[in-house]
Amino acid sequence: MTLQASLIRLVENLLIAGFVAMIAMVFGNVVLRYGFDSGIIVSEEVSRMIFVWLTFGGAFLVAKDGGHLGMTALVTAMGRRGRWVCRLLVELLSLVCMGLMVSGAWAQTVLNVHNPAPISGIPLAVTYLAAVACGIGIAILNVINLVALFQNRMSDDELVIGSSSEDEMAHEPSKPGQRQ
């Protein structure tokens, strides 16, 4: 297994562990509230922080697979040169957005290092670090894709990234053997 695959597997496993912990805390808190008229005070705050990390971690994994919404119908209708230019623009614009996100999230992280959450006491900077990690991760993917693009290592199909909208997919005829 390559280093890249190992890191992706680690991110996936951390997200699964975070999801399980969040479910356990929220479910346990609900049971304690309704069954025993008590609760774990810190669980709501910590589960909110975990949820932020899950959201940004999921965004990274979807970006890795090229699964974010895109204008695939338009780009697919173009020739190879048009697809190449569109992919270049997508990667460059995404890289700029990730730079802005990392910059802003880092500024918030620095501002909130000494600002603890009211119940758990965990620095609120932990929440903003999720955006920093996601932005850096997606920026690395953008750079990898730009290198592959300029080295001409992308096939015509790889030049089109993104998923169609669910509305568009609902109107497509199903293929034989495909479940609906």
Side-chain angles (χ1 to χ4, degrees):
M1 188 180 288
T2 66
L3 175 63
Q4 182 180 357
S6 298
L7 289 173
I8 296 298
R9 175 71 87 186
L10 176 66
V11 169
E12 290 171 345
N13 288 334
L14 287 172
L15 291 178
I16 290 168
F19 190 60
V20 168
M22 188 178 79
I23 289 173
M25 282 190 292
V26 171
F27 180 73
N29 209 22
V30 168
V31 169
L32 287 172
R33 279 187 190 162
Y34 290 104
F36 302 99
D37 200 25
S38 68
I40 305 168
I41 298 170
V42 76
S43 71
E44 188 175 323
E45 199 170 79
V46 172
S47 62
R48 189 179 314 120
M49 289 180 181
I50 292 172
F51 184 70
V52 170
W53 276 89
L54 289 175
T55 303
F56 280 107
F60 167 75
L61 291 177
V62 171
K64 173 194 69 75
D65 295 334
H68 287 288
L69 285 177
M71 297 179 64
T72 56
L74 177 66
V75 178
T76 304
M78 297 180 181
R80 177 159 177 83
R81 187 73 180 151
R83 291 179 183 183
W84 191 92
V85 169
C86 284
R87 182 66 189 253
L88 176 66
L89 289 173
V90 164
E91 296 300 338
L92 289 175
L93 289 172
S94 179
L95 194 58
V96 168
C97 289
M98 291 306 106
L100 292 171
M101 185 169 85
V102 168
S103 173
W106 182 252
Q108 286 297 316
T109 301
V110 170
L111 287 172
N112 287 288
V113 164
H114 300 295
N115 187 11
I119 297 169
S120 65
I122 298 171
L124 292 176
V126 169
T127 305
Y128 295 104
L129 276 176
V132 172
C134 176
I136 290 172
I138 293 176
I140 290 170
L141 293 174
N142 293 140
V143 170
I144 291 170
N145 289 333
L146 284 169
V147 168
L149 190 64
F150 282 112
Q151 290 179 346
N152 214 14
R153 292 183 310 178
M154 286 191 181
S155 67
D156 284 351
D157 290 338
E158 290 175 317
L159 291 175
V160 180
I161 62 167
S163 296
S164 299
S165 70
E166 292 177 4
D167 294 336
E168 183 180 319
M169 292 169 62
H171 297 292
E172 291 179 5
S174 63
K175 296 175 185 138
Q178 182 183 16
R179 283 196 269 166
Q180 288 191 3

